[in-house]
Amino acid sequence: MPEVLSHFAHFGKEIFGVEGKDAQESAELPIGALRSFFESLDVPMSFKELGIGPEHFDEMAEHAVSAEGLVYAWVPLGPKDVRKIYEMCL
């Protein structure tokens, strides 16, 4: 099982008591369980639900990478990368 899948599978088994039939399902089940948990608490799950639109993304992206904030991330990210991530959160 790839390392990242095994981490999600372990999380799912230990926190939610869920296990899938294979590595992929074992990694996806806890993600769904976590989403359901947050939804049960009425926690906003997207920028749209928070009332944040794309007109704020450039400023937010610049702030996220300021002071070398994401230069030393696992995969270094610049403002354009962060903006793309924000766009996927709508």
Side-chain angles (χ1 to χ4, degrees):
M1 179 181 309
E3 186 176 358
V4 69
L5 293 182
S6 68
H7 288 299
F8 278 107
H10 179 75
F11 167 72
K13 184 176 180 182
E14 296 298 318
I15 303 302
F16 292 106
V18 296
E19 281 186 271
K21 294 175 267 180
D22 58 29
Q24 187 69 36
E25 186 178 58
S26 292
E28 290 174 357
L29 283 174
I31 295 169
L34 185 60
R35 174 175 275 288
S36 295
F37 172 72
F38 282 128
E39 286 172 348
S40 75
L41 299 174
D42 292 324
V43 173
M45 300 294 287
S46 68
F47 284 138
K48 187 176 184 177
E49 292 175 9
L50 288 168
I52 298 172
E55 66 275 7
H56 302 288
F57 290 174
D58 289 329
E59 182 181 355
M60 291 167 56
E62 287 294 334
H63 182 72
V65 300
S66 66
E68 299 180 11
L70 297 173
V71 173
Y72 298 108
W74 188 6
V75 175
L77 300 172
K80 289 182 183 179
D81 304 309
V82 175
R83 183 182 171 87
K84 275 223 177 270
I85 293 168
Y86 290 157
E87 289 169 355
M88 293 186 295
C89 295
L90 283 175

